[in-house]
């Protein structure tokens, strides 16, 4: 059972455009929602994260929007750059289990110059 | 500050063999988690080690086992390798006790079982 569902599977965006990746979860006990960026041959790197008591978090060009009632959260990449081309994973965790993360299936983002 | 280092980077094994993967955690971290990432998929939690004991396990059979050492480094052992074990194995370290949410991943070990 996939605890976190992610879409789209792949995304192509023009340079300067907005990239949007969506995730949905079922378990309302999740209390931490990070996004990871992974380049080929590398491990995932934490990009930005949010707790469910906040509806939006922004760090530079990256914004997480969180909709608790809909059990959905999304990553927005503003002014997308070719260097943003990577695979993005959303994830969720329960604090009480001490850090097990449930990852989405990933979105391959390509930013065209 | 050193990051998480994993060795080897690539490995080819034959079905039925055993393999040991190694991980050195980031300086200051005391918890190590292992994930399996199949091609085109998100990482799947194998288990976590804290204070040299297993502290949580995902849906993986007992032939997946691990160790954590006093210096917080860790090993992942897989016995009786199967073709489906071919994947990228990721180690992630974190500090439990403060900011329980910070994971640092290594670059992984690419295991191919033939």
């Amino acid at each position: 059972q996939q605890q976190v569902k992610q879409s789209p599977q792949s995304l192509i965006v023009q340079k300067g455009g907005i990239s949007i990746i969506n995730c949905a979860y079922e378990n309302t006990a999740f209390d931490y929602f990070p996004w990871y960026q992974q380049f080929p041959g590398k491990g995932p790197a934490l990009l930005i994260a949010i707790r469910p008591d906040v509806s939006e978090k922004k760090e530079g060009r990256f914004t997480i929007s969180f909709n608790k009632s809909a059990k959905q959260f999304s990553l927005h990449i503003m002014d997308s750059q070719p260097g943003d081309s990577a695979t993005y994973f959303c994830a969720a965790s329960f604090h009480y289990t001490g850090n097990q993360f449930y990852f989405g299936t990933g979105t391959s983002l390509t930013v065209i110059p | 500050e050193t990051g998480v280092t994993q060795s080897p980077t690539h490995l080819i094994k034959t079905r039925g063999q055993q393999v040991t993967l190694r991980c050195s955690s980031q300086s200051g971290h005391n918890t190590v988690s292992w994930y399996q990432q199949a091609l085109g998929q998100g990482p799947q939690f194998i288990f976590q080690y804290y204070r040299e004991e297993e502290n949580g396990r995902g849906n993986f059979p007992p032939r997946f086992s691990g160790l954590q050492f006093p210096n917080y480094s860790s090993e992942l052992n897989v016995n009786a390798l199967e073709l489906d074990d071919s994947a990228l194995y990721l180690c992630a370290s974190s500090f439990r006790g403060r900011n329980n949410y910070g994971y640092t991943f290594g670059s992984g070990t690419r295991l191919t079982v033939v």
Side-chain angles (χ1 to χ4, degrees), chain A residues 2 31-32 36 38 41-44 46 51 89 93 95 97-101 103-105, chain B residues 35 37 40-45 48 55 57-58 88 90 94 96 100-101 103 105-107:
Chain A
Q2 188 72 28
D31 73 345
Y32 179 66
Y36 282 84
Q38 186 175 29
K42 299 293 186 183
L46 178 65
R51 300 288 305 276
F89 294 95
S93 71
H95 175 66
T97 64
N99 259 355
Q100 176 181 347
F101 285 89
F103 284 86
T105 51
Chain B
Y35 283 79
Q37 186 177 18
Q41 298 296 316
Q44 298 289 317
F45 179 71
Q48 182 182 87
N55 177 49
R57 187 179 185 94
L88 180 68
L90 295 164
S94 58
R96 186 170 182 174
N100 280 338
Y101 308 102
Y103 259 14
F105 280 93
S107 294

Side-chain angles (χ1 to χ4, degrees), chain A residues 68-85:
Chain A
K68 190 173 181 178
S69 60
K71 294 186 287 186
Q72 295 176 348
F73 59 110
S74 60
L75 175 69
H76 291 65
I77 305 175
M78 313 299 288
D79 187 26
S80 298
Q81 299 295 313
D84 297 331
S85 297

Side-chain angles (χ1 to χ4, degrees), chain B residues 31-44:
Chain B
T31 302
V32 175
S33 304
W34 286 91
Y35 283 79
Q36 180 195 66
Q37 186 177 18
L39 200 60
Q41 298 296 316
Q44 298 289 317

Side-chain angles (χ1 to χ4, degrees), chain B residues 36-104:
Chain B
Q36 180 195 66
Q37 186 177 18
L39 200 60
Q41 298 296 316
Q44 298 289 317
F45 179 71
I46 302 175
F47 44 54
Q48 182 182 87
Y49 277 82
Y50 173 65
R51 289 184 175 177
E52 302 177 45
E53 292 188 355
E54 187 178 290
N55 177 49
R57 187 179 185 94
N59 188 26
F60 282 81
R63 60 189 184 83
F64 285 78
S65 63
L67 287 171
Q68 185 183 32
F69 301 99
N71 67 353
Y72 307 120
S73 65
S74 177
E75 288 181 355
L76 165 65
N77 299 289
V78 187
N79 293 322
L81 284 166
E82 301 177 359
L83 297 180
D84 284 349
D85 295 333
S86 296
L88 180 68
Y89 288 86
L90 295 164
C91 170
S93 72
S94 58
F95 185 82
R96 186 170 182 174
R98 182 186 74 226
N99 184 17
N100 280 338
Y101 308 102
Y103 259 14
T104 301

